[in-house]
């Protein structure tokens, strides 16, 4: 009962702090720095107390928190703080706890399309699990992770009042960490990775400046909830996506607890995802061509410039047969012209070892 009271007090205390700041701790702004700093300090104090608990008590606390996440109505205003508490307690958790949380988030749309602060907390929990502790990620978690990310990236007719780039960078960070450090898990889910990358490319579009309200609304209906059509994503996001695409060619080590325990090292072989991902690279290039040729949308010049290194990395994965098959599958002449132009630029900048 004392542990349950402690968790309840945490939720109530942080609720008042969060309501005063109006922001999630995942996205700290200068305007609420004081409240965010207080929450961070309280989180550290709470975690230090948890570290002194016996294993049985800590497990009981996690079970109590899991029940709160699963059985509490997702629309409850205090759910934001419950999810934040789950993120804090991720530092030391059994596998079933994070699996329960991810399953709950994937099943309820309120965690994906609800209040901005709640969505940021859910994304922060995913970042904490996948990007900060990749060795703890298990195959059973990936299905829920992909569902959550795809729902966050899917087009919707309702949008936030302003664009939140934190979603874009958070998703890029999650996928990038899994590509670099958990290649062993991604091999069987590469189509999902390709779909997420297609959505990320599509999210970089912006509406033409001469559009009327109705046409702008049509463009907005093709963007994620966290992107406002009047405030498109920019060069920073394109640069982050390009680095993510380039990381597919990077030779990295698999980071798992089992590998470290068996060999005394974190990795055995350095490999990349370039070869297995080559069959899934074409849809991303096609998404880029589609974004270039939509009549109501544009890809800003600086966005295209920053995105090019990542697109060149995808071109490098394709052989001539895959490229020709992609060209045949593109239905319109504009898309074919965009891919031809991209391929010509890729070959021009490619170093072939002559001279």
């Amino acid at each position: 009962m004392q542990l349950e009271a402690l968790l309840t007090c945490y939720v109530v205390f942080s609720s008042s702090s969060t309501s005063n700041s109006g922001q999630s701790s995942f996205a700290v702004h200068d305007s609420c720095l004081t409240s965010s700093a207080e929450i961070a300090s309280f989180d550290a104090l709470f975690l230090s107390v948890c570290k002194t608990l016996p294993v049985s008590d800590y497990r009981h606390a996690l079970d109590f928190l899991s029940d709160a996440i699963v059985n509490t109505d997702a629309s409850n205003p205090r759910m934001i703080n419950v999810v934040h508490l789950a993120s804090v307690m991720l530092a030391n958790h059994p596998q079933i706890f994070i699996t329960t949380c991810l399953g709950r988030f994937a099943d309820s749309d309120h965690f994906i399309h609800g209040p901005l602060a709640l969505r940021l907390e859910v994304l922060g929990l995913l970042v904490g699990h996948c990007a900060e502790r990749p060795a703890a990620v298990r195959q059973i978690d990936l299905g829920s992770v992909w569902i959550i990310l795809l729902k966050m990236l899917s087009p919707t007719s309702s949008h936030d009042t302003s664009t939140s780039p934190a979603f874009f960078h958070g998703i890029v960070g999650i996928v990038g960490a899994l590509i670099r450090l958990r290649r062993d898990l991604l091999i069987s889910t590469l189509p999902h990775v390709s779909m997420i990358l297609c959505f990320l490319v599509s999210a970089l579009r912006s509406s033409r400046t001469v559009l009327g309200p109705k046409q702008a609304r049509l463009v907005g209906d093709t963007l994620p909830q966290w992107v406002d059509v009047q405030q498109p994503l920019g060069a920073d996001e394109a640069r982050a996506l390009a680095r993510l695409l380039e990381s597919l060619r990077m030779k990295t080590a698999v980071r798992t607890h089992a590998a470290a325990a068996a060999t005394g090292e974190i990795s055995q072989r350095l490999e990349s995802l370039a070869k297995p991902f080559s069959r899934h690279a074409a849809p991303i290039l096609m998404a880029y061509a589609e974004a270039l040729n939509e009549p109501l949308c544009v890809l800003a010049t600086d966005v295209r410039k920053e995105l090019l290194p990542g697109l060149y990395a995808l071109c490098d994965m394709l052989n001539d047969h895959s490229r020709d098959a992609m060209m045949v599958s593109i239905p319109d002449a504009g898309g074919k012209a965009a891919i031809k132009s991209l391929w010509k630029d890729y070959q021009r900048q490619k170093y072939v070892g002559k001279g």
Side-chain angles (χ1 to χ4, degrees), residues 10 68 190 203 252 299 320 349:
Y10 177 95
L190 290 180
T252 58
L299 275 180
D320 292 340
Q349 61 83 41

Side-chain angles (χ1 to χ4, degrees), residues 285-286 288-289 292-293 312 315 323-324 326-328 330 332-348:
L285 295 175
M286 294 172 65
Y288 169 75
L292 283 179
N293 287 278
Y312 292 156
C315 292
R323 181 200 60 192
D324 294 341
M326 176 180 63
M327 294 295 293
V328 171
I330 297 177
D332 59 289
K336 294 180 186 292
I339 294 297
K340 287 181 179 179
S341 176
L342 174 65
W343 199 269
K344 184 181 298 184
D345 293 339
Y346 158 69
Q347 290 182 323
R348 185 182 300 116

Side-chain angles (χ1 to χ4, degrees), residues 188-209:
S188 60
T189 60
L190 290 180
H192 302 79
V193 177
S194 177
M195 190 179 303
I196 288 175
L197 294 176
C198 289
F199 275 124
L200 289 172
V201 171
S202 180
L204 293 173
R205 295 170 301 146
S206 57
S207 64
R208 297 185 182 273
T209 56

Side-chain angles (χ1 to χ4, degrees), residues 2-13:
Q2 292 179 348
L3 283 175
E4 296 172 3
L6 178 63
L7 297 179
T8 303
C9 289
Y10 177 95
V11 171
V12 173
F13 176 84

